[in-house]
Amino acid sequence: MIPVMFCFFAMGFVDLVGIASNFVKADLGLSDSVANVFPSLVFFWFLIFSVPTGILMNHIGRKNTVQLSLIVTIVSLVLPLFGDSFTLMLLSFSLLGIGNALMQTSLNPLISTVVKGSNLASTLTFGQFVKAIASFLAPYLAMWGASAAIPSFGLGWRALFAIYLVVGILAALLLYLDPIEEEPADKASGFVSCFKLLGRPMVLLSFIGIMCHVGIDVGTNTTAPKILMERLGVGLDAAAYATSVYFLFRTLGCLTGSYFLRVMSNRLFFLISVCMMAVGMVIMATSSNELMLDVAFGLVGYGNSNIFSLVFAQALLSEPDKKNEVSGLMIMGLFGGTVFPLIMGFCSDWLGQVGAVLVMAVGVIYLFTYLPRVAK
């Protein structure tokens, strides 16, 4: 489990896109709608690569697919060490998205080979806790590099990429050395039969649920500092901590959620989580008080921390003979990380950051409708 959990940490590298896009925006003088292309581009690749990765796993195995994802991720982290031009960052974020699409599609079902039944959701949540540590650290590492208080070898905030590059290489080595026994793959599926699974109501509704989850996740990650900058009139360096508030509570949510999901009804915990997000959205849309906004970021972070694991587990358990294919479809739902920020960027240019919050609120409303699908 230790090498696998290192891979979950590497999976969290994708969340650096939120704070990174804000620094790139400041460096290059971009508008909100243009800067939001970066997080949107990262998650665009989930639409393209998730289902093919599910099919690929049937041919080369889940462990080998995770190994491939780590190699792509490592390359994406090397590129920003050479500069932060618009083209170079587009290429880096594209490779980061491709690597993460490969990793999320293959790593979650790899967990299901060693953890069975009702404990799957809590174990996936613990993996999300490890992933959230990387997400939480990213803004602090970027600010640490940007502060010039330490030698960053001329990288500034991009020192973040160098640090995560070292961890990514370590994760790849540990997984390579780890013998993992996989059950034989089912008969390889094609694209048509894979997409036909979306005709199953549980799979389709879970797919939309994943889209909403990641849209809220990437949206808050990207928008939280902008809300502070707009409402309080502070600069990016002073507002960047807002992303870490979100990820701190998402990290705590994953850690405590792995316990609560063992002792509490999944449906009740899902309801509590969505209610917390709803309250957070109301505060984010209406308040100009820094403390209240921090509370809102925390509520959304904690509430959203276990949604992915709950929805993903419901989908996998609904089609036990098609785990690879269902995993590919669910990870394709992370394309919500492209759809939401793009719409939010245009709405915030039009209405201010309250427009971005309203877009995320639509996702919260949908999750309320998903509640009856969650097993008791």
Side-chain angles (χ1 to χ4, degrees):
M1 290 296 290
I2 292 176
V4 172
M5 289 301 157
F6 258 93
C7 293
F8 268 103
F9 188 89
M11 187 190 292
F13 295 171
V14 73
D15 289 320
L16 65 82
V17 67
I19 191 62
S21 64
N22 280 292
F23 274 103
V24 173
K25 176 189 173 185
D27 288 350
L28 303 182
L30 306 176
S31 68
D32 268 350
S33 53
V34 174
N36 278 13
V37 167
F38 290 109
S40 295
L41 183 64
V42 168
F43 290 92
F44 167 76
W45 299 108
F46 287 91
L47 177 66
I48 305 298
F49 281 92
S50 298
V51 171
T53 302
I55 296 171
L56 178 67
M57 280 192 288
N58 285 332
H59 293 280
I60 69 172
R62 295 165 183 169
K63 177 185 171 182
N64 288 336
T65 307
V66 176
Q67 198 77 48
L68 175 62
S69 74
L70 287 168
I71 293 171
V72 176
T73 300
I74 286 168
V75 174
S76 76
L77 296 170
V78 169
L79 294 178
L81 304 185
F82 298 98
D84 65 344
S85 70
F86 190 82
T87 302
L88 191 64
M89 296 308 295
L90 280 178
L91 180 58
S92 172
F93 286 176
S94 291
L95 289 174
L96 185 63
I98 292 169
N100 210 259
L102 293 168
M103 192 181 305
Q104 296 221 40
T105 305
S106 53
L107 186 56
N108 289 301
L110 184 62
I111 285 288
S112 72
T113 65
V114 293
V115 178
K116 308 295 182 182
S118 60
N119 288 330
L120 178 59
S122 61
T123 305
L124 287 174
T125 288
F126 185 76
Q128 292 297 308
F129 160 68
V130 176
K131 173 180 179 288
I133 295 174
S135 305
F136 167 70
L137 290 175
Y140 284 111
L141 292 174
M143 289 187 290
W144 179 61
S147 70
I150 48 88
S152 60
F153 306 100
L155 293 174
W157 66 269
R158 290 177 290 117
L160 162 67
F161 290 89
I163 295 168
Y164 278 177
L165 172 63
V166 174
V167 180
I169 293 171
L170 178 60
L173 289 174
L174 287 174
L175 184 64
Y176 176 76
L177 297 172
D178 186 33
I180 296 179
E181 296 290 336
E182 298 183 40
E183 67 262 24
D186 297 328
K187 181 180 177 181
S189 300
F191 282 93
V192 174
S193 60
C194 189
F195 279 104
K196 277 185 176 178
L197 289 172
L198 287 174
R200 314 278 177 88
M202 189 64 189
V203 176
L204 177 60
L205 295 174
S206 298
F207 171 80
I208 299 172
I210 294 289
M211 284 192 69
C212 293
H213 155 75
V214 75
I216 295 165
D217 184 58
V218 178
T220 307
N221 178 7
T222 306
T223 303
K226 297 176 184 176
I227 292 176
L228 292 184
M229 293 164 67
E230 178 185 84
R231 309 271 175 84
L232 305 180
V234 298
L236 176 58
D237 288 343
Y241 82 90
T243 299
S244 284
V245 172
Y246 170 76
F247 282 120
L248 171 62
F249 280 88
R250 201 181 79 169
T251 303
L252 292 174
C254 290
L255 178 62
T256 57
S258 61
Y259 168 75
F260 286 132
L261 286 170
R262 291 177 184 269
V263 300
M264 182 187 296
S265 158
N266 284 0
R267 185 177 295 178
L268 175 59
F269 192 64
F270 188 91
L271 175 61
I272 293 171
S273 298
V274 179
C275 287
M276 291 177 73
M277 285 194 286
V279 174
M281 291 295 166
V282 171
I283 298 173
M284 286 167 62
T286 60
S287 179
S288 295
N289 179 276
E290 183 175 5
L291 177 59
M292 289 301 296
L293 288 171
D294 289 343
V295 170
F297 304 148
L299 285 171
V300 177
Y302 194 98
N304 206 28
S305 59
N306 297 285
I307 298 298
F308 176 86
S309 301
L310 283 163
V311 175
F312 195 95
Q314 300 303 313
L316 283 185
L317 295 174
S318 72
E319 299 289 340
D321 297 328
K322 295 288 183 180
K323 287 182 179 179
N324 289 351
E325 293 82 352
V326 170
S327 177
L329 290 170
M330 291 304 104
I331 300 305
M332 188 175 75
L334 296 185
F335 178 63
T338 293
V339 176
F340 275 68
L342 280 177
I343 299 173
M344 290 167 62
F346 287 110
C347 289
S348 61
D349 282 345
W350 177 36
L351 297 172
Q353 297 308 319
V354 69
V357 176
L358 291 174
V359 175
M360 291 190 288
V362 173
V364 176
I365 292 169
Y366 174 81
L367 291 174
F368 274 114
T369 70
Y370 184 82
L371 180 64
R373 298 283 175 173
V374 180
K376 293 182 179 181

